[in-house]
């Protein structure tokens, strides 16, 4: 009896020790085809290779993180986020600074990481046109997009300031490398808004979501619009007569962040280091038309030249674009959006 009890106790203690050694992370993303792609390319293979147990959830964005941190009941270890949202959340004290001695970003594009988030995928804000209206000879820069004599037709434009001001300044003759310098004042912001104000009579719709601007092009309701490249790819696959260009596009990214007080912070840092490797990121384009943030992913042989030609972060396409400045958005977005909304209601 004593021997049986001793063996049972020993087994129990062994089981406890094994359980204690298990590493777990809880990751929250946005669900749907996006999270499915993340799972197939990043989460599942990295879990298999590291032995880290991954629990997945969907969430509503940084508002959920704010609620957890403020209540002191943080259950999430890693969250997917837009780069701008992560920058603002980091400044608010909602995120842990990332340890780049653990997470190797030496082969990342330098603009696709920040103190509080590491890039997970790359997308672009582009101008797209209806090929039924213009054929293949659509606009090739933002000046063309704003030129209603050269390209008459209905436009759509974003109803928020994010991604709205930079194209207007480029259309007004500002060189891409000078855009954020000009925007670093209320006068510069007003200059961009004035340019959009000029175009406003030709803007039929101020869109509020990626689904909306993709549908506008798919249905042929407008002749050209701004929007996100992946959405236009999907619209084209569904039969939409749409093309776009990466020239002067805005290079932006989604990223991964660790909420302040994450219960498995060290494991989360280890897991982010794993999924940032080229061997995982080169699988992303198999499941979603967003590019890897790790440039080395283009050198593994997994991404063909044909596929790379359609990805925002391929070296050739990235070189044509203006990287979005998170520093500018952290400093100016609130003020700029108030000014922009005033223009919209005029």
């Amino acid at each position: 009896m004593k021997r049986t009890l001793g063996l049972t106790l020993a087994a129990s203690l062994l089981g406890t020790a094994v359980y204690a050694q298990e590493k777990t992370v809880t990751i929250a993303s946005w669900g749907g085809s996006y999270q499915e792609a993340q799972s197939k390319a990043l989460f599942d293979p990295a879990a298999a290779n590291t032995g880290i147990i991954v629990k997945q959830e969907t969430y509503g964005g940084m508002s959920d993180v704010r609620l957890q941190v403020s209540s002191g009941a943080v259950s999430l270890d890693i969250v997917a986020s837009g780069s701008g949202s992560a920058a603002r959340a980091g400044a608010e004290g909602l995120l842990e600074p990332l340890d780049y001695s653990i997470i190797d970003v030496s082969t990342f594009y330098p603009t696709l990481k920040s103190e509080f988030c590491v890039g997970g995928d790359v997308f672009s804000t582009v101008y797209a046109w209806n090929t039924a209206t213009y054929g293949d000879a659509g606009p090739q820069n933002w000046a063309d997009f704003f030129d209603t004599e050269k390209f008459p037709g209905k436009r759509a434009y974003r109803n928020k300031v994010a991604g709205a001001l930079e194209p207007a300044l480029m259309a007004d003759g500002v060189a891409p490398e000078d855009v954020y310098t000009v925007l670093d004042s209320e006068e510069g912001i007003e200059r961009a808004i004035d340019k959009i104000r000029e175009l406003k009579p030709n803007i039929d719709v101020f869109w509020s979501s990626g689904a909306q601007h993709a549908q506008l092009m798919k249905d042929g309701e407008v002749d050209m619009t701004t929007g996100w490249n992946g959405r236009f790819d999907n619209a084209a696959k569904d039969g939409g007569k749409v093309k776009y260009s990466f020239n002067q596009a805005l290079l932006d990214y989604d990223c991964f962040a660790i909420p302040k007080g994450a219960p498995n912070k060290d494991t989360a840092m280890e897991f982010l280091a794993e999924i940032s490797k080229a061997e995982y990121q080169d699988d992303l384009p198999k499941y979603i038309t967003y590019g890897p943030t790790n440039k080395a992913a283009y050198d593994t042989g997994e991404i063909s030249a044909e596929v790379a030609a359609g990805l925002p972060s391929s070296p050739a396409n990235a070189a044509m674009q203006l990287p979005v400045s998170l520093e500018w958005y952290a400093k100016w977005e609130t003020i700029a959006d108030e000014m922009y909304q005033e223009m919209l209601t005029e």
Side-chain angles (χ1 to χ4, degrees), residues 16 21 40 49 51 68 107 117 130-131 144 177 185 190 248 255 275 297 313 318:
T16 302
Q21 291 173 2
K40 290 179 178 178
N49 290 338
Q68 289 198 5
T107 52
C117 74
N130 189 328
T131 56
D144 283 351
E177 61 268 22
S185 68
E190 191 60 42
Q248 294 188 337
C255 61
I275 62 175
S313 64

Side-chain angles (χ1 to χ4, degrees), residues 104-140:
D104 181 5
V105 290
S106 60
T107 52
F108 270 47
Y109 287 94
T111 59
L112 303 183
K113 62 178 177 59
S114 71
E115 181 180 2
F116 298 103
C117 74
V118 59
D121 59 75
V122 184
F123 66 94
S124 299
T125 298
V126 300
Y127 45 85
W129 67 90
N130 189 328
T131 56
T133 307
Y134 307 111
D136 292 334
Q140 293 303 306

Side-chain angles (χ1 to χ4, degrees), residues 172-251:
D172 204 37
V174 176
E177 61 268 22
D178 296 329
V179 163
Y180 287 112
T181 301
V182 175
L183 283 176
D184 196 26
S185 68
E186 289 196 20
E187 292 76 17
I189 293 168
E190 191 60 42
R191 176 181 172 181
I193 291 173
D194 281 342
K195 187 68 175 178
I196 300 168
R197 188 179 280 115
E198 291 177 12
L199 186 64
K200 193 176 177 184
N202 297 92
I203 300 175
D204 274 35
V205 180
F206 281 93
W207 58 265
S208 60
S209 70
Q212 183 184 13
H213 72 58
Q215 196 66 39
L216 288 169
M217 293 304 290
K218 186 179 172 182
D219 294 343
E221 291 187 29
V222 296
D223 299 297
M224 61 176 77
T225 182
T226 61
W228 301 315
N229 71 289
R231 296 288 189 167
F232 296 130
D233 288 333
N234 289 339
K237 288 177 183 176
D238 290 341
K241 298 183 181 299
V242 55
K243 280 197 171 184
Y244 62 84
S245 171
F246 285 115
N247 186 44
Q248 294 188 337
L250 306 182
L251 191 70

